[in-house]
Amino acid sequence: GESVGLHLPTLSVQEGDNSIINCAYSNSASDYFIWYKQESGKGPQFIIDIRSNMDKRQGQRVTVLLNKTVKHLSLQIAATQPGDSAVYFCAESFIQGAQKLVFGQGTRLTINP
Amino acid sequence: GAGVSQSPSNKVTEKGKDVELRCDPISGHTALYWYRQSLGQGLEFLIYFQGNSAPDKSGLPSDRFSAERTGGSVSTLTIQRTQQEDSAVYLCASSLTSGNGDQYFGAGTRLSVL
């Protein structure tokens, strides 16, 4: 069946360093991908998205890379801050209409002071 | 309101009891979703409402689960004859039908079945 998975369940980085979180997806028909951040006790919060006609998109301190050939997605966070500590999920969907999201298992990112 | 609101924030119930979880989406959002998040896991899609269309119920795990959306706004997720494996955080999200999948999530209801 369709699935989205993450390579690493946990990641620790030093404050100020860059971090990279990876994700693999299996549905080649998906054309819309989103990264969410979830802090303890809260719902997921949208970070950045990318459509399948792009291979890179940048936001504030975050960059998402999409490699459709190998069905791989990554989230890069630059100059990490303590507030970046959270669980990060990738999700896949379709651009056409509002669609359900298929989520990966999540990666817990810990920023060490 | 400013965001998606869910109630109660926590619910403890006994095995076999029925529970109702409520979601108030962002005003103007026509799409509403329910997901379930088990401890340490990703989110599992349950059901999706889009305007006046028939809901997509493909993610409901059993016939003990049902959901309604009244007046195109508030939604209630009902779990009948709860089981211990139903214990999870139930998250609601809403979105505009602008062609993107950007969904805004509530804080969830943590359900514990004893």
Side-chain angles (χ1 to χ4, degrees), chain A residues 15-82:
Chain A
E15 181 178 354
D17 287 353
N18 299 333
S19 66
I20 300 176
I21 301 172
N22 295 303
C23 175
Y25 65 94
S26 61
N27 187 356
S28 57
S30 295
D31 58 8
Y32 182 62
F33 305 89
I34 314 104
W35 280 99
Y36 282 90
K37 172 185 181 182
Q38 187 175 27
E39 296 175 283
S40 181
K42 298 182 180 179
Q45 178 185 4
F46 173 90
I47 302 173
I48 191 168
D49 60 359
I50 188 168
R51 299 188 176 195
S52 59
N53 60 351
M54 303 171 67
D55 54 18
K56 180 180 180 179
R57 189 167 188 220
Q58 290 184 296
Q60 188 174 16
R61 288 200 303 117
V62 294
T63 300
V64 56
L65 299 177
L66 174 64
N67 186 330
K68 295 181 289 296
T69 301
V70 294
K71 291 183 286 187
H72 184 268
L73 196 67
S74 68
L75 176 70
Q76 300 177 1
I77 305 174
T80 53
Q81 304 169 357

Side-chain angles (χ1 to χ4, degrees), chain A residues 32 34 36 38 41-44 46 49 51 89 93-101 103-106, chain B residues 31 33 35 37 40-43 45 48 50 56 58 91 95-97 99-103 105-107:
Chain A
Y32 182 62
I34 314 104
Y36 282 90
Q38 187 175 27
K42 298 182 180 179
F46 173 90
D49 60 359
R51 299 188 176 195
F89 294 96
S93 185
F94 300 94
I95 292 172
Q96 193 65 32
Q99 299 281 350
K100 65 185 180 186
L101 297 172
F103 282 84
Q105 292 298 306
Chain B
Y33 313 77
Y35 294 88
Q37 186 174 30
Q41 299 295 312
L43 281 73
F45 167 77
Y48 152 53
Q50 173 61 65
D56 176 353
S58 61
L91 289 155
S95 71
L96 291 168
T97 56
N100 67 57
D102 188 9
Q103 299 177 18
F105 284 81

Side-chain angles (χ1 to χ4, degrees), chain B residues 54-98:
Chain B
D56 176 353
K57 304 180 181 180
S58 61
L60 294 179
S62 77
D63 58 8
R64 296 186 295 105
F65 288 71
S66 63
E68 293 183 337
R69 190 178 185 192
T70 56
S73 181
V74 172
S75 177
T76 301
L77 176 68
T78 301
I79 309 173
Q80 297 178 308
R81 306 181 300 282
T82 53
Q83 303 295 314
Q84 289 185 334
E85 59 263 30
D86 299 335
S87 296
V89 176
Y90 290 82
L91 289 155
C92 176
S94 69
S95 71
L96 291 168
T97 56
S98 58

Side-chain angles (χ1 to χ4, degrees), chain B residues 6-11 13 17-23 34 66-68 75-80 82 90 109 111:
Chain B
Q6 292 187 245
S7 61
S9 54
N10 285 283
K11 176 71 176 179
T13 190
K17 300 286 188 182
D18 297 352
V19 295
E20 286 189 351
L21 312 179
R22 176 187 169 104
C23 173
W34 284 97
S66 63
E68 293 183 337
S75 177
T76 301
L77 176 68
T78 301
I79 309 173
Q80 297 178 308
T82 53
Y90 290 82
T109 293
L111 175 65

